[in-house]
Amino acid sequence: MKKRPSGFWVPGFQYPVEMDPSVTYGSYLAVDELLSLQRPRSEGPEHDEMLFIVIHQVYELWFKQLLHEVDHAIALLEAGEPHRAQHTLKRILTILKVLVAQLDILETMTPLEFQSFRQRLEAASGFQSDQFRQLEFVLGNKSRAAIDRFGANTRARAALESRYGKPTLWDAFLKYLAREGYAVPKESLSRDVTSRIEPSAALQDTLIDVYRKDPKHAEMCERLVDLDEGLQEWRYRHIKMVQRTIGAKIGTGGSSGVQYLATTLMTPIFPDLWEIRSRL
Ligand code: HEM
């Protein structure tokens, strides 16, 4: 038993093991580096640019965590650990709710406040978030074009390339259901994982069976629907936020803005889980 040498901790408290005193809150979390990463480009700088940078950086960190958790959920399904996979799905949903709620903060920024620094964003746009695309990829919305937007030998491109050929969360779930004895169609189990998830009538029959006879697995299907709905909710809230901030202006990423974003709405990640609702 060794008493810690300085005044950061409760006096007299005996730590059970020798600890490294160089590990502090600041060093462990790299706080100095973290706080040096907010670099406004506007003259002054404009007050609201700090919020804009911080909120995007926070989103990127949450995207990182979401990818970490979705990868974990896939690994747990592959390992035949449904309870832990479901626990992980619950965490993913809780993070998604925070992602949606955070848009409220950005909506406190008025169109004129955004206008004060918007030009300094040049062509930068959330459209170029490779982690958002990675998330779409791991959930089943893959596209070669999304990879080709990133330059050769970049971290972003390598990450997307690596995810492109890998099975998605949906593939892991279907394989798990098949191992549990469900009649998952062969075409669904051996589908091309680089293409979008297409609805399958035969698979829907099996899913209806799950819902009617197997509350445990029906519950897991519902968590996947929550995830799908959560992402659609984020898209909807993002569009409304964009609309109230820039109206019908074109995006800094070069798209038609709200008009383009509207095309991404109401597109489910797991179409079969939505199709079966009217037959249940
Ligand atoms: C004032 C705030 C914001 C405005 C005005 C805005 C505007 C836009 C626009 C116009 C687009 C379409 C692409 C383009 O032409 O640029 C877009 C896409 C996107 N934005 Fe935002 N955005 C804002 C905040 C955010 C935040 C906080 C995030 C979080 C990371 C974000 C993430 C994205 C993503 C991921 C896309 C691509 C969506 C897709 O292609 O499906 N945006 N944004």
Side-chain angles (χ1 to χ4, degrees):
M1 295 274 244
K2 186 169 169 71
K3 195 173 166 190
R4 295 293 299 264
S6 102
F8 284 114
W9 28 86
V10 180
F13 185 85
Q14 297 291 313
Y15 281 82
V17 287
E18 178 90 39
M19 291 183 189
D20 179 351
S22 70
V23 180
T24 64
Y25 178 84
S27 73
Y28 179 65
L29 297 172
V31 173
D32 287 350
E33 289 97 311
L34 192 63
L35 297 182
S36 71
L37 298 175
Q38 295 71 44
R39 301 173 197 136
R41 296 189 80 234
S42 60
E43 294 298 323
E46 291 292 341
H47 179 81
D48 286 70
E49 192 177 356
M50 182 62 88
L51 172 67
F52 190 80
I53 292 171
V54 167
I55 205 145
H56 278 84
Q57 289 183 339
V58 169
Y59 267 107
E60 287 298 329
L61 288 176
W62 281 129
F63 290 159
K64 181 172 184 169
Q65 186 65 29
L66 278 177
L67 289 166
H68 189 57
E69 300 293 352
V70 178
D71 287 342
H72 191 48
I74 291 175
L76 289 169
L77 284 170
E78 286 171 352
E81 297 212 46
H83 288 105
R84 291 180 66 205
Q86 203 156 317
H87 173 72
T88 304
L89 281 176
K90 172 91 173 35
R91 181 177 294 171
I92 291 169
L93 299 173
T94 312
I95 296 172
L96 258 181
K97 286 202 182 306
V98 170
L99 289 196
V100 174
Q102 274 180 186
L103 287 170
D104 288 347
I105 308 174
L106 209 48
E107 282 186 341
T108 64
M109 182 175 68
T110 67
L112 284 178
E113 283 167 342
F114 183 45
Q115 208 47 48
S116 71
F117 63 87
R118 188 183 187 216
Q119 251 188 326
R120 304 310 307 272
L121 303 180
E122 312 292 342
S125 162
F127 191 70
Q128 298 154 348
S129 166
D130 71 277
Q131 290 203 105
F132 184 79
R133 298 296 167 218
Q134 285 190 55
L135 201 55
E136 287 190 310
F137 276 25
V138 80
L139 295 178
N141 183 6
K142 297 185 185 176
S143 98
R144 206 55 245 177
I147 300 180
D148 292 339
R149 285 189 212 112
F150 294 91
N153 304 320
T154 56
R155 173 203 55 78
R157 193 179 178 108
L160 284 166
E161 287 282 12
S162 144
R163 290 198 181 274
Y164 189 64
K166 286 195 181 145
T168 68
L169 179 60
W170 185 241
D171 298 306
F173 177 62
L174 293 188
K175 287 214 165 78
Y176 165 75
L177 274 187
R179 284 198 310 273
E180 288 291 294
Y182 279 99
V184 179
K186 275 208 182 69
E187 315 81 68
S188 298
L189 291 173
S190 60
R191 73 174 198 98
D192 172 7
V193 296
T194 65
S195 64
R196 284 188 78 99
I197 298 165
E198 294 297 339
S200 147
L203 176 60
Q204 285 162 29
D205 290 343
T206 298
L207 290 171
I208 287 172
D209 214 31
V210 170
Y211 267 78
R212 293 208 174 125
K213 299 185 191 146
D214 181 352
K216 181 180 115 183
H217 290 114
E219 186 72 19
M220 199 179 290
C221 291
E222 285 298 281
R223 297 295 73 77
L224 292 173
V225 175
D226 285 343
L227 169 54
D228 195 332
E229 192 176 354
L231 199 65
Q232 290 185 60
E233 194 183 344
W234 182 84
R235 287 190 192 277
Y236 173 76
R237 283 294 317 277
H238 172 259
I239 294 188
K240 295 317 281 181
M241 188 263 302
V242 172
Q243 196 173 23
R244 69 186 278 174
T245 311
I246 63 167
K249 291 177 191 166
I250 60 163
T252 47
S255 81
S256 56
V258 169
Q259 210 183 353
Y260 155 71
L261 291 169
T263 64
T264 67
L265 265 189
M266 304 296 285
T267 311
I269 310 169
F270 311 123
D272 296 295
L273 288 177
W274 293 92
E275 298 260 340
I276 58 171
R277 299 235 145 220
S278 43
R279 289 174 55 201
L280 284 172

